[in-house]
Amino acid sequence: MKPMRTERLILRNWQERDRPLFHRINSDERVMEFFPFRRDRAAADAKMDELNAAIDRNGFGFAAAEIAATGQCIGFIGITR
């Protein structure tokens, strides 16, 4: 997926540097409140790989959201079938 930019955000594929944050998101009690599970690091890594593969395959999916001014990844946004 080609990165998409707004004035404040960059939506892009997940990168290796995002793995710790992706795990924190997927294991956080508040974030995952309405999910029946939390992902350990191995499961979070596998899910991130799956999301990247879906983006590569479909041209869209759940992409990383990065603050353009700082380069800090703050979460994700996207669509899926």
Side-chain angles (χ1 to χ4, degrees):
M1 172 177 109
K2 182 179 175 185
M4 294 183 278
R5 286 183 151 272
T6 69
E7 183 178 323
R8 292 179 279 188
L9 290 177
I10 300 170
L11 305 179
R12 58 166 175 75
N13 286 357
W14 293 97
Q15 300 172 354
E16 287 301 312
R17 66 186 171 108
D18 300 323
R19 287 191 188 276
L21 172 66
F22 193 79
H23 174 246
R24 281 196 314 274
I25 291 169
N26 280 270
S27 62
D28 185 273
E29 292 292 324
R30 290 186 328 193
V31 172
M32 301 297 285
E33 178 180 1
F34 299 105
F35 291 83
F37 57 86
R38 309 294 177 268
R39 289 189 177 96
D40 62 19
R41 180 60 190 258
D45 284 348
K47 187 63 171 179
M48 191 174 106
D49 294 340
E50 180 184 319
L51 293 177
N52 267 342
I55 289 170
D56 289 343
R57 183 175 55 253
N58 302 318
F60 62 89
F62 290 106
E66 177 180 299
I67 297 174
T70 66
Q72 177 187 11
C73 184
I74 57 170
F76 61 94
I77 188 167
I79 57 175
T80 189
R81 293 178 194 174

